[in-house]
Amino acid sequence: MRIESPRLLAALPELGVEYRPGTSLAELTSLGIGGTTDLLRVGQYQHLPALLRMLQEGGIEHRFLGGGTNVLIGDGELGWVALQLAPRGSAADAQIEGASVWVDASADLGRTVTYCARHNLGGLEGLIGVPGSVGGALRMNAGAYGTEIGPHVREVEVYRAARKANETVRGADISFEYRHTSFASGDIMLRARLELPERPYEEIVAGIRVCNEKRRASQPLNQKSAGCIFKNPPGGSAGRMIDGLGLKGLRRGDAMVSDRHANFFINAGHATCADMLALIAEVRSRVRAAHGCELEEEVIVWNA
Ligand code: EPU
């Protein structure tokens, strides 16, 4: 979608927004899939409510793109503009405060884990190889190797869609479940305070190493993916079920079930969103036929 309103375009610099017309979102997603639209990068969080109000007044639909690592975006010219928080740079995006860290939603999750380790704050080791931003991790309650971010969250600064304003929410007032939180779909994570256990640096790094090795051994880290495509069904493993049906290597166009981990679907070349959706539908229907189990996507699909 192209922003045509001169009033809105003129207001963007005052709101600290960087305007990137006609951006290919394929370049901003780990899957390398996604059509074209105008991208607005928000530098100053306090102006976010004003920007969103102007978009709404102009009848311009928007979607909020975080790190782009857990999203499958439609092909072609998109019917909405994309918003992203501009990173403040590694020196400014996290601050230690006692046994807590205040971290920007735009900060890289892996870098945050190692930054905390250097300040003797552990507890996040399992998240080391989870690709994406802190904001995405908060919103989805990212987890791996027995660690979830939710239990460490003490405060979140968030744009609340329902109130059309930024506010600070206590961690205790947010429900964090398996790959799901009580945030509304229009809420935008801005900053969070995580309280973490104090541990010697060497101990944290040893934990990080173990998780890195496990991940390298079982996941296709050097290929374009959005991590696991499906959530695990209660008590089960989507990867094991898909693998058990012999579906590794199954392709629709350039979308392919990874031959390393069957719940990772890879863009093996120039896959489109349509290829990926066809592969998702095929795998889901084969798992349904064999196990009577309806797999639910973990990846967020923006195809409409
Ligand atoms: N398995 C197979 N074949 C495969 C893949 C897995 O048989 O192709 C088996 C494994 O041998 C193991 C079981 O399935 O016995 C579970 O596999 P794994 O340990 O790889 O964990 P997972 O349940 O597939 C989850 C998360 C991952 C996270 C890992 C490690 C979900 C959907 N996935 O995977 O998160 O990295 O545990 O903690 O919860 C993601 O969220 O995007 C993601 C990749």
Side-chain angles (χ1 to χ4, degrees):
M1 170 179 252
R2 293 304 162 94
I3 298 175
E4 273 153 17
S5 154
R7 189 175 147 256
L8 179 54
L9 290 171
L12 293 177
E14 289 158 35
L15 296 172
V17 174
E18 185 194 340
Y19 172 53
R20 295 196 186 175
T23 299
S24 162
L25 297 191
E27 285 160 28
L28 299 179
T29 63
S30 58
L31 264 174
I33 294 176
T36 302
T37 191
D38 284 0
L39 173 69
L40 303 177
R41 294 185 92 215
V42 180
Q44 295 155 24
Y45 308 160
Q46 72 272 23
H47 293 320
L48 189 59
L51 172 66
L52 293 173
R53 209 175 313 120
M54 290 193 82
L55 290 175
Q56 194 182 15
E57 282 163 11
I60 298 169
E61 201 191 319
H62 72 272
R63 302 272 164 96
F64 192 85
L65 186 69
T69 55
N70 197 37
V71 65
L72 172 58
I73 297 178
D75 304 311
E77 183 71 33
L78 303 167
W80 39 270
V81 300
L83 262 60
Q84 213 177 27
L85 296 181
R88 284 199 271 190
S90 51
D93 64 12
Q95 292 97 37
I96 301 290
E97 207 180 270
S100 286
V101 61
W102 269 107
V103 61
D104 286 359
S106 59
D108 178 77
L109 182 61
R111 275 215 330 268
T112 303
V113 175
T114 51
Y115 174 84
C116 292
R118 282 200 301 279
H119 291 84
N120 302 101
L121 294 179
L124 300 178
E125 294 86 332
L127 298 178
I128 187 65
V130 175
S133 65
V134 168
L138 290 168
R139 137 132 267 141
M140 293 291 290
N141 188 21
Y145 303 115
T147 302
E148 283 186 351
I149 196 166
H152 299 289
V153 176
R154 295 292 170 271
E155 291 171 83
V156 183
E157 282 178 25
V158 54
Y159 168 82
R160 282 292 206 189
R163 291 187 47 229
K164 297 190 173 29
N166 295 346
E167 68 177 48
T168 303
V169 187
R170 291 187 322 144
D173 295 332
I174 304 160
S175 131
F176 289 99
E177 293 156 46
Y178 170 64
R179 301 296 193 275
H180 178 80
T181 62
S182 51
F183 291 112
S185 67
D187 289 353
I188 297 173
M189 311 296 118
L190 302 174
R191 243 179 126 221
R193 183 169 71 84
L194 311 178
E195 195 177 293
L196 301 169
E198 293 180 86
R199 287 198 197 132
Y201 174 72
E202 292 72 24
E203 205 177 282
I204 304 171
V205 168
I208 286 177
R209 245 184 238 125
V210 170
C211 294
N212 270 336
E213 276 159 26
K214 281 196 207 158
R215 198 177 283 277
R216 261 197 298 273
S218 63
Q219 299 183 358
L221 302 184
N222 298 325
Q223 285 171 295
K224 291 182 186 168
S225 84
C228 287
I229 278 283
F230 296 113
K231 294 182 183 178
N232 283 332
S237 158
R240 193 187 299 136
M241 283 195 278
I242 300 167
D243 191 3
L245 294 172
L247 301 182
K248 280 181 170 170
L250 181 73
R251 279 179 93 118
R252 287 292 175 273
D254 272 348
M256 187 182 102
V257 177
S258 160
D259 39 31
R260 183 166 270 242
H261 192 301
N263 197 13
F264 278 63
F265 291 12
I266 302 300
N267 175 359
H270 300 283
T272 61
C273 180
D275 293 338
M276 198 53 81
L277 289 173
L279 188 63
I280 290 172
E282 178 65 29
V283 170
R284 182 187 276 128
S285 103
R286 297 228 208 159
V287 168
R288 187 192 304 121
H291 296 279
C293 162
E294 191 70 23
L295 290 179
E296 191 190 323
E297 283 133 23
E298 187 202 271
V299 68
I300 294 162
V301 181
W302 286 342
N303 188 39

